[in-house]
Structures are given as C-alpha cells and as structure tokens.
Amino acid sequence: MNKIAQIFQSLDYGPAPEGPDQAIAWLDAHDRKFGHFIDGKWTKPGKTFSSDNPATGESLAQITDGTAEDVNAAVKAARAAFKGWSALSGYERGKYLYAIARAVQKHARLFAVLETMDNGKPIRESRDIDIPLVARHFYHHAGWAQHLNREFPDAVPYGVCGQIIPWNFPLLMLAWKIAPALAAGNTVILKPAEFTSLTALLFAEICERVGLPKGVVNIVTGEGGTGQAITAHEGIDKIAFTGSTDVGKAIRAVTAGSGKGLSLELGGKSPYIVFEDADIDSAIEGLIDAIWFNQGQVCCAGSRLLVQESIEERFITKLKKRMQTLRVGDPLDKSIDIGAMIAPIQVERIKDLMKRGIAEGAEVYEPDGQMPARGCFLKPALVTNVSPANTLVAEEIFGPILVAMSFRTPEEAVQLANNTKYGLAATVWSENINLALDIAPQIKAGVVWINGTNNFDAAVGFGGYKESGYGREGGREGMSAYLKPAWEKDLKPAPAPKIAAAKATNPLDSGHLDQTAKMYIGGKQSRPDSGYSRAVYDPSGKLVGEVGDGNRKDIRNAVEAARAALGWSTTAAHSRAQILYFLAENLDYRRDEFADRIKAQTGENGVEEVALSVERLFAFAGWADKYDGAVHNPPLRAVAAAMVEPLGVMGIVAPPSRPLLGSIALIAPALAMGNPVVLVPSAQSPLSVTDLYQVIETSDVPKGVINIVTGDSVSLAKTLAEHDGVDGLWYAGDAESSAMVEKVSITNLKQTWTSRGLYYDLADRRFEGDYFLAKATQVKNVWIPYGA
Ligand code: NAD
C-alpha cells in the first residue's frame, strides 16, 4: 500500500464540535420552560414534561402537555383567523411564506444546533439536509400560493387543519405540513412530537417576527392525548398525520364518518435492491445513507437489502468493511456519522426486536469501535440468515439495523420487495437503465430511487402505498391534499330510496320465460353462493325480476378474479380506451332495451340515463391515455418522473338511484385508470347492470376486469371494506354506513370515497373529469439521476 493510502486508512479524526452557545442562550432566555403558541401569543406553561438531549440524557426544557381546553383555544383562534387569511390574495400569502423561508435561512445554524440537541441527529444532517429543505419547502410553496387560482380553479381550502408530526425530522415535518396548508389558505394547529418540540417553538417565534396574522399558525405541544384531542375536535376540517401505522389507523377510525379531510404518512420497510451489474462502491455508499441516515429512524429507510446472489458475498464483505469506518458519537461533532437514538424507550424496543429476530435464527454483525460512555446510542448492525417471515424482516425497526437477503432473478427481487404490508419507498441499483426502469413501476411504493437514495424535494411528491398511508406531501399532489372542490359545501342530503310494498305477482305474468340474473365473476356468470335470490320491484310494488343475493363468498371470489386481472393496469392506455369505447358503442346499440329496463324498475324515462351512460363511457375512454404524470426538475442532478398508477383492485358500491348511470359513472374512471373492479350495483334496481353482462362480453373486456355481485349494498360493502385484497373502495350510501365503510377499511388502510348520505348528481358533467380519476389513482415518483 502506498503511503497516502496508508495515511487514509489510519487517519484519526480530531474532535470537531459545533458550538451550542446560541441554542443554550435561547433556551435560557425562555427560562427553559414553554407554553403553547396560540392566537399569536404565548400561553403560560401548564403541566409540563421534560424534553431531553438524547446524547447526554440532560433535560433541555420543560414542555407543556396540551389539554383539550388548549386545543379548543387553538381551534377557536385558527377558525377566527381563517376568514382573513383565506381572503388574502395568493401573492400576499406567498409573501409571508417567502419571509418565513428567509427567516429560517437567517437563523439556520441556530435551528440546526437546536434540532441536533433535541433529536440526537448528527449536526451534519440537520445543517446540510433538514434545515435547507425546510427553507426550500417554504420558498416552493410561496410560489404555489400565488398560482393557486390558476392551477386549481375550482378549489377552496379546507379551513382549519390539525397537523400531528413525529420526532424523526421535527422541523422538516413541520415545514412539509405548514407550508402547503398556508399556501392553500388554511390555518393550522400543529402538534410536534413530545420528544422534539423545541424547533417548532422557535419556528413560532419566526411566525411572530414575520408578522404572520395571529391565529394562522398555532403550536400546541403535548403527548398522544393532545393528538387525540386534535383528531376528535369537531371544529377541525382536515387532519394531516405523520407517524406510525398503528396511530394512523387509530386516527382513521376516529375520523371515520366525520367528513374531515385526512392524509396519512406512515411507516415503511423499504427495499434496497442491488443488481449484479450495479456500481458496487456507489451502491455501498448509497446504502450507508439509506439505512444509517438519522440512525435509521427514517420512515423510508432502505432497511431491507436485497442483493443479487451472484454478488452477495462480495457485496456483504465490502459492506462490513465500510461499516467499520462508521463513527458513532456526539451528534454535535461535525465528523460523526451516527448520532443518538431518540430515547431510551426506543433503544429498548429495538433490543427486544433484535432478541426476537436472533431467536428466530438471524445472525448479527456489528463493527468494532468505541461507543460513547453515556447517552442513547446503538451500534449499526447488519442482520443476515433471515427468511421473509423473520421479525426483523417483517417489522419496521426504526433504528440502525439493516437486514440482508438475496435474490436470483429480477422477478424474485420484485416479489421480495413487495412482500410487505408497507409501500413507502424503494431503491434500485443497476447500471442497466432498461432493467431499472422495468423494475421501478413493478414495485408498490410511492417513491422509487434509481441509483441513489433518500432524495427529497419540495417539488416532488412523497407518500406511501398500502399501509404506508395515503395523500402526498410536496409537489402538485401535496398542494391538492390541502384543497377541496368548492361545490362540495352545496351538496344536499340524498333522498331516501323509495321502497314500494311488494304486490303478489307471478314472474310468468310478463309473458317471457323465467329470467334469473346471476353474478358476473371472472368473465363468467355464476350462481350466488347463498342459493338465495332477491326480488326486484317497480315503484308500484310489482315484481320486475330477480337477482342473486350475494354474500361474503361471492365477494371473495370476485376479489380473487379481480386480483388475477391486475394485468389490466399494465395494458396500454390506448387499449383500455379502445375497450371503453367499445363498451360505449355496444351499450348505445342496445339503448332502447336499457331505457325500457330503467323505466320498468324506476318508473322513470330511461332514455336520457342511457345516453348519459354512453357519453360517460366515451368520456373516460378519452381520459385513459391523457390523465398522466409529469417530470419534475428538483435542484439535484436528477429528474423525478411522477407516474400516475392505479390503486389496484377497487370495490365500488353504486348509489340506489340511477341504476345504470350510478354504476357506469363510478366504474368508468376506475377502469380507465387500470383498476379491475368488483361492482355492487344498486340494491333496489340491479337489473340494468345484470343486463350489461352481454355488453361486457361483446366488448373485449378481459375476464376479471369487471366483476359484479348483486345483493344488499351495506353488507357487501362491509365485506369489501374488510377484505385485504381490495385496495380502494367507493361507497355511495347513507351517512351511517359510509362511516362504517371508512372505519372497517383500516384493516389494510384502503383508500375510500364515500358519499356520506349526500346527493352526488352523477349526471353532472363535473364528474366527467379528474374528480374520480384522482381518487382512482396514486402518484409514484421515480427519481432518475443523470450526469456522466
Ligand atoms: P407515533 O405514531 O408514535 O407518533 C407520531 C405523533 O402522533 C406524535 O406527535 C404523537 O404524540 C402523536 N400521537 C400518538 N398517539 C396519538 C393518538 N392516539 N392520536 C393522535 N396523535 C397521537 O410515531 P413516532 O414514534 O413519533 O414516529 C415514528 C413513526 O413515524 C414511524 O413509524 C415512521 O415510519 C413514521 N414516519 C413516517 C413518515 C412519512 O412521511 N411516511 C415520516 C416520518 C416518520
């Protein structure tokens, strides 16, 4: 080895501490005791708890544990401020956001040091990543505020937003929440995590300094109970939550039926896939960032290494060597790689998980090296010899622990990558761009990084699939999460369906042969599992026909058939359009017969409804190849392709009225975007949909893409909501059963739309556009680096 190489090997680091003086002076100036920031004023500290420096165990300050009354006061202030704030021009709001960005930059070092002291993350990260990204978010959203009316012409802000954030990126998560909310014209109550309230309180001072109108931003500190008071508060119009999947599910259950907007950014167990043709040294460096950034306490941490078998040994050997050079220690030291874990309780949790994983057969490698004598530290660890079922592979560890597995083929890599309830992020390393771009769309995750990792930018949406939550932060998608259609406030209650008293009639009275409509599952007509039928009556109570009474088993079969048809999502958009056009054509061909059937069931003239149904199919055929993504230009040497992807299998329960249009208006956007559907037609008048089987069969719809189960809407909706094979569920029905659907859907956090007893006039042409398209899709951002 030459001398220079030798020096590099043995080079020891001297201490390079960042000075905490200013941060300490700031804490002292507040007597190390804080109240809330409500209505532009500081409240007196109430019952407090300690916020500790995890690197030393020392208490930094006493923080007030917010009560229900505190939350109430904050909601009142935010409500009072909403009118004025939302009435400001976008330019005026943008100027405030711009001033906040400037102020954050001016005090960047104070924010960074305070963040590191409160959270334990290396100063290198808070200084170079967290705080610059905070400023970037406010700058970016200053622009959105000004261009809002042009870009979202029919949208209005929700009103008062309750925002609850975790401790791993305290100020950055605040920025992700507050910047878009304010840009859209909302006012907010933000609760920081109990471990890390300090930078949020310093941020409140920034709001004061820039003269933000009082009540626009309210910071209420506290523990889980304070969060509960926010999510349950009736005066809050939207909840935005970032945190664990368990708490996210609890919040979904509490908000079900309330009509509150909801976005959930939850946990992850993200795969880091290395193909044999990867630039291995770069992939190792990427992996160091993926899993040991912020001590692994990162929702999108690349915590599952999947490495191709042919390079596994070489890769693991190199990785272990690199791990030997990682330095664990004082987070205020600028040359430290791994800082302190957030709290002793988190260290204990991780140790317990490790014990369980080891008992199940895992082998653990830890590098040598010194650990600080005090404080909350853990060594980086590499876990091997694990199967997909091992606790350490399946559970989100949220610490510096990497689990490694190997794969042989790209198909196996995709299978392993998707073998998780989460879907937040993924990384793919390969020098073969064709392979990387083939893998990225197959991974069920909201973000995919190619030959890079942990890239974030305000212009690029971030958020999860599956149990990693829904909604996006950043970019256009993030803006739309803080806006709602202006017309929603004018919706009236839906009239109760008219159910006529049945008259005794003989099916043969019609003069036709006896007709019994069956289910339509997997491209075939099948009898109901129950062996029961449901009678269909006209408004006078006369029998019009009979359909099968679907049950749990029929839904299961239909979902299975739909899952087998998931290839529909990768069918070319042009082909999906052709099939929808063909459906329209074949329905139009039989319009008289369908109009008669509508009249027979509802007594209403069906001519217009059939014409509208044909037009709606035509409209969404037209959308199939147009509602697509964007390419973002983040300030890095990369582009991010925002790809619009279908949710997966969708359950759709049609409204009781408009027996044909009610179903067509909902399934057409879902199908256009590539979702196979399980449709439950109107319970009162299902014959318009059971008559569609022949239309479907003659229109080249692949089997399993449209499945139809007739029966009681509420009980079938419940079964769909409970089913983990259903990814999205739309339900048109009364308020009580809508709440049930939202609550039961927490099992796999399926995305829901419910009509909550309101009348959505599906004949209105506003439903011909992006309202349902947006709800049938989710955006995946694929980051692609460039540069020679
Ligand atoms: P957590 O769910 O325990 O707490 C998050 C926040 O919710 C805290 O402010 C907490 O006080 C509050 N809270 C707790 N119980 C509540 C309740 N019943 N109702 C309302 N609020 C309640 O999560 P954490 O331990 O602070 O953070 C770690 C988790 O956050 C990990 O699962 C991580 O993956 C996730 N996370 C996700 C993202 C993302 O963007 N998807 C980003 C960062 C962290």
Side-chain angles (χ1 to χ4, degrees):
M1 199 185 292
N2 70 36
K3 205 161 170 212
I4 293 177
Q6 241 171 13
I7 291 173
F8 268 117
Q9 291 279 322
S10 61
L11 199 63
D12 209 5
Y13 291 82
E18 175 74 44
D21 300 357
Q22 280 210 22
I24 289 174
W26 181 79
L27 290 168
D28 288 343
H30 290 84
D31 291 332
R32 298 200 176 228
K33 207 165 188 182
F34 292 87
H36 310 297
F37 182 69
I38 296 175
D39 205 17
K41 294 185 281 291
W42 292 91
T43 65
K44 283 214 176 70
K47 192 175 142 250
T48 61
F49 55 84
S50 175
S51 195
D52 299 339
N53 180 339
T56 62
E58 287 160 4
S59 174
L60 292 169
Q62 289 295 315
I63 307 292
T64 297
D65 192 11
T67 61
E69 289 79 56
D70 296 332
V71 170
N72 217 5
V75 173
K76 251 190 173 156
R79 176 64 58 203
F82 175 66
K83 206 164 161 226
W85 180 248
S86 57
L88 285 183
S89 73
Y91 176 48
E92 290 300 322
R93 283 202 305 276
K95 283 199 290 191
Y96 282 110
L97 293 176
Y98 186 77
I100 291 174
R102 278 273 191 253
V104 168
Q105 276 184 324
K106 275 187 259 182
H107 301 284
R109 198 53 69 96
L110 173 59
F111 269 114
V113 173
L114 194 62
E115 194 77 304
T116 283
M117 287 168 70
D118 205 15
N119 166 281
K121 62 173 67 201
I123 184 73
R124 203 159 45 85
E125 295 178 7
S126 48
R127 184 195 61 196
D128 299 346
I129 299 172
D130 291 48
I131 309 304
L133 274 173
V134 169
R136 164 94 182 115
H137 256 78
F138 281 100
Y139 281 130
H140 178 79
H141 286 91
W144 273 121
Q146 190 168 7
H147 298 305
L148 207 67
N149 289 349
R150 202 170 297 109
E151 290 295 308
F152 298 92
D154 300 320
V156 290
Y158 273 91
V160 174
C161 297
Q163 308 184 314
I164 300 171
I165 57 172
W167 44 259
N168 57 345
F169 293 92
L171 193 67
L172 185 57
M173 292 299 104
L174 172 150
W176 284 20
K177 298 261 178 299
I178 291 187
L182 297 198
N186 299 281
T187 54
V188 306
I189 295 119
L190 178 125
K191 189 196 90 64
E194 49 272 47
F195 294 119
T196 52
S197 310
L198 294 177
T199 47
L201 296 168
L202 177 57
F203 178 82
E205 288 191 356
I206 295 282
C207 295
E208 274 183 307
R209 259 182 245 176
V210 303
L212 193 71
K214 65 185 177 113
V216 171
V217 167
N218 303 276
I219 308 283
V220 177
T221 51
E223 301 185 296
T226 315
Q228 278 173 328
I230 292 174
T231 50
H233 201 292
E234 287 186 358
I236 291 182
D237 305 301
K238 167 172 174 128
I239 298 289
F241 172 77
T242 298
S244 58
T245 293
D246 284 349
V247 174
K249 286 184 176 183
I251 290 176
R252 168 74 289 197
V254 171
T255 53
S258 68
K260 283 188 175 92
L262 179 64
S263 43
L264 300 172
E265 303 282 354
L266 310 177
K269 188 79 187 177
S270 301
Y272 188 98
I273 309 170
V274 185
F275 285 99
E276 60 190 359
D277 63 356
D279 170 348
I280 292 187
D281 289 329
S282 301
I284 297 265
E285 281 316 301
L287 185 55
I288 300 292
D289 274 343
I291 181 64
W292 290 302
F293 174 50
N294 201 15
Q295 297 74 249
Q297 301 168 129
V298 180
C299 50
C300 52
S303 52
R304 281 190 299 142
L305 168 65
L306 303 174
V307 57
Q308 198 152 16
E309 201 179 74
S310 47
I311 57 162
E312 184 186 10
E313 210 183 311
R314 204 164 122 229
F315 192 88
I316 296 288
T317 308
K318 272 188 173 245
L319 176 61
K320 285 181 176 169
K321 193 164 164 220
R322 178 66 178 88
M323 285 171 74
Q324 286 289 354
T325 66
L326 290 172
R327 301 182 74 226
V328 183
D330 176 8
L332 277 176
D333 188 326
K334 289 169 211 139
S335 51
I336 276 300
D337 300 301
I338 298 181
M341 304 295 295
I342 189 68
I345 185 175
Q346 183 70 357
V347 172
E348 285 316 307
R349 200 189 131 258
I350 293 171
K351 285 185 176 163
D352 275 357
L353 282 169
M354 291 294 275
K355 268 190 215 144
R356 273 166 60 193
I358 291 167
E360 289 160 16
E363 286 167 16
V364 178
Y365 168 81
E366 283 181 355
D368 316 323
Q370 294 294 313
M371 291 281 281
R374 60 172 187 165
C376 220
F377 292 90
L378 271 178
K379 273 196 173 179
L382 168 66
V383 175
T384 51
N385 197 35
V386 283
S387 71
N390 189 291
T391 302
L392 297 172
V393 180
E395 297 283 321
E396 182 187 35
I397 301 174
F398 224 58
I401 318 294
L402 173 70
V403 293
M405 294 168 72
S406 65
F407 65 87
R408 287 191 177 158
T409 61
E411 294 73 37
E412 198 192 349
V414 170
Q415 234 171 32
L416 285 169
N418 286 336
N419 184 21
T420 166
K421 63 185 179 180
Y422 296 113
L424 196 51
T427 303
V428 179
W429 284 85
S430 166
E431 288 299 291
N432 179 348
I433 190 73
N434 298 334
L435 174 65
L437 289 179
D438 183 42
I439 298 296
Q442 296 183 57
I443 294 178
K444 300 279 169 242
V447 184
V448 178
W449 293 293
I450 293 176
N451 294 337
T453 201
N454 276 344
N455 302 129
F456 308 102
D457 183 54
V460 185
F462 181 90
Y465 282 25
K466 305 199 288 189
E467 293 191 32
S468 291
Y470 38 76
R472 294 287 178 268
E473 292 186 314
R476 194 183 183 85
E477 306 92 87
M479 269 319 298
S480 66
Y482 280 97
L483 294 161
K484 59 179 187 177
W487 49 260
E488 265 186 11
K489 66 174 186 333
D490 302 323
L491 291 172
K492 303 272 178 306
K498 291 181 213 127
I499 299 169
K503 280 185 198 153
T505 27
N506 182 340
L508 297 182
D509 284 353
S510 65
H512 290 290
L513 284 179
D514 181 57
Q515 299 173 341
T516 311
K518 301 194 181 88
M519 314 278 169
Y520 189 67
I521 295 175
K524 288 203 287 278
Q525 299 194 32
S526 54
R527 287 184 200 291
D529 169 73
S530 67
Y532 290 108
S533 294
R534 291 168 65 89
V536 180
Y537 301 106
D538 73 5
S540 75
K542 201 170 124 239
L543 186 72
V544 191
E546 286 179 313
V547 294
D549 196 9
N551 67 9
R552 181 170 285 275
K553 179 90 193 313
D554 299 309
I555 291 286
R556 275 213 301 268
N557 292 341
V559 173
E560 202 175 304
R563 292 215 76 80
L566 276 169
W568 178 241
S569 65
T570 50
T571 303
H574 169 76
S575 308
R576 292 202 301 267
Q578 288 299 304
I579 289 169
L580 287 171
Y581 280 129
F582 205 12
L583 270 172
E585 186 185 323
N586 286 325
L587 179 59
D588 191 45
Y589 184 69
R590 296 170 59 178
R591 59 179 178 255
D592 297 341
E593 176 194 322
F594 273 84
D596 289 349
R597 189 65 124 173
I598 290 169
K599 188 157 180 37
Q601 293 171 104
T602 66
E604 284 162 25
N605 179 352
V607 174
E608 192 205 351
E609 188 178 331
V610 179
L612 274 169
S613 303
V614 172
E615 188 181 330
R616 198 56 60 89
L617 284 166
F618 212 75
F620 284 106
W623 272 122
D625 59 356
K626 293 171 194 66
Y627 188 76
D628 56 12
V631 178
H632 301 300
N633 257 307
L636 298 159
R637 289 175 69 78
V639 289
M643 296 168 49
V644 173
E645 296 192 340
L647 295 186
V649 168
M650 288 190 59
I652 293 180
V653 182
S657 61
R658 301 213 187 234
L660 183 63
L661 182 67
S663 285
I664 296 284
L666 297 180
I667 64 167
L671 293 172
M673 292 296 98
N675 302 280
V677 300
V678 176
L679 169 68
V680 177
S682 158
Q684 278 72 34
S685 319
L687 295 171
S688 294
V689 169
T690 57
D691 288 350
L692 274 179
Y693 300 164
Q694 283 156 13
V695 177
I696 296 169
E697 274 158 11
T698 49
S699 305
D700 295 343
V701 180
K703 66 179 183 177
V705 168
I706 304 177
N707 305 280
I708 295 162
V709 178
T710 49
D712 175 62
S713 301
V714 178
S715 62
L716 295 178
K718 181 160 184 286
T719 307
L720 283 166
E722 285 163 347
H723 201 303
D724 281 354
V726 177
D727 304 292
L729 179 54
W730 293 351
Y731 176 78
D734 63 32
E736 195 188 330
S737 45
S738 293
M740 174 277 291
V741 163
E742 291 180 5
K743 200 169 211 154
V744 177
S745 289
I746 66 170
T747 50
N748 64 341
L749 277 176
K750 56 180 67 71
Q751 304 199 24
T752 56
W753 169 83
T754 64
S755 69
R756 299 187 297 113
L758 298 170
Y759 181 61
Y760 284 74
D761 179 6
L762 294 172
D764 194 309
R765 289 207 166 72
R766 69 164 58 113
F767 297 113
E768 228 174 54
D770 60 359
Y771 182 75
F772 283 118
L773 291 170
K775 294 179 191 326
T777 52
Q778 50 198 343
V779 179
K780 168 190 282 177
N781 275 283
V782 180
W783 287 71
I784 307 159
Y786 56 77

